[in-house]
Amino acid sequence: MIVDKIKQLKVEKNAVILAHYYQDSAIQDIADYVGDSLALARWAAETDADVIVVCGVHFMAETAKILSPSKRVFLPDMNAGCSLADSCPPEAFAEFVKQHPDHTVISYINTSAAIKVLTDVVVTSSNVRQVVNSFPPKAKLIFAPDRNFGNYINSITGRRMVLWKGACHVHERFSLEKILELKKEHPDALLLAHPECKGVILVLADYIGSTSALLNYSIKSKNQVFIVATESGILHEMQEKNPNKTFIPAPPNDSTCACNECNFMKLNTLEKLYDCLKNETPEIFLDEKTIEAAAKPIHRMLELSTKLR
Ligand code: 13P
Ligand code: SF4
């Protein structure tokens, strides 16, 4: 069976498999660690494995390489990109930063290494509020690349961060009408939303947070039914941790499908994971200068989020 073969290769190669919550259930089940972007970065920085396989998207594997440059880092499908990361091209962003002198640049981890090089401190959805609040109230800040997330953080912190106007195609396409219909059908359901969703969805939400925060909320809440507005892969772990609760994926507006999947995340499959471990490809390579420069804002985030925890 392919699962046994993957487990065997993992031992032979002293490899660790890190998976994001948005991966297919079969991949989450075989991974050594399953978590959000912040957890994946921490595990990548701390592992003593020789090989790291990141079952997620390209910027996650790149971050793992930046944090563990002596390790070999693989991504089962090199086409697993991210529309949010792609919405912030480095040349245009360098110009944007130049137009805002004296600003500190805060970038969400969903960016390429080239953007991290232009960044002062990286954040994830798990620590953004703490990191932003660690700056003086009048500090001049740029937040990139997600406009929805930036607007939300501005609204809860009272900041006026200058925002890069990027977005994630998955979180932007939730249907307000279909969510309202679901709320009518399930009047007791709580709406859980990721901050990459549009403002019209966030104002309706009962709880807003990163994937791990949404998961923890679903565990602690006494409520029995939840409508979940983030990539539907998270429902696997929610259901596993809460077997008696009901989780309904919030539907997108552009399809007949009831759940909203990230086509990039879903490019990774068990077969590709097996091939990748066996053939040791596709591998992430970055030049030393980029690793050194991109590591600084990520380490700053890890230090700050540990200190501020
Ligand atoms: P988190 O893992 O930080 O919740 O972010 C979700 C995401 O957009 C990953 O692509
Ligand atoms: Fe990128 Fe959105 Fe997919 Fe996350 S869900 S990897 S932000 S495209």
Side-chain angles (χ1 to χ4, degrees), residues 22 57 59 81-84 110 168-171 196 262 264-265:
Y22 295 165
V57 291
F59 75 82
C82 168
S83 57
L84 179 52
N110 300 38
C168 154
H169 73 297
V170 178
H171 287 90
E196 289 170 29
C262 173
F264 296 115
M265 284 278 180

Side-chain angles (χ1 to χ4, degrees), residues 20 22 36-37 59-60 108 110 124-125 194 196 210-211 265:
H20 191 270
Y22 295 165
D36 67 358
S37 311
F59 75 82
M60 295 174 178
Y108 195 27
N110 300 38
T124 77
S125 46
H194 195 281
E196 289 170 29
S210 66
T211 45
M265 284 278 180

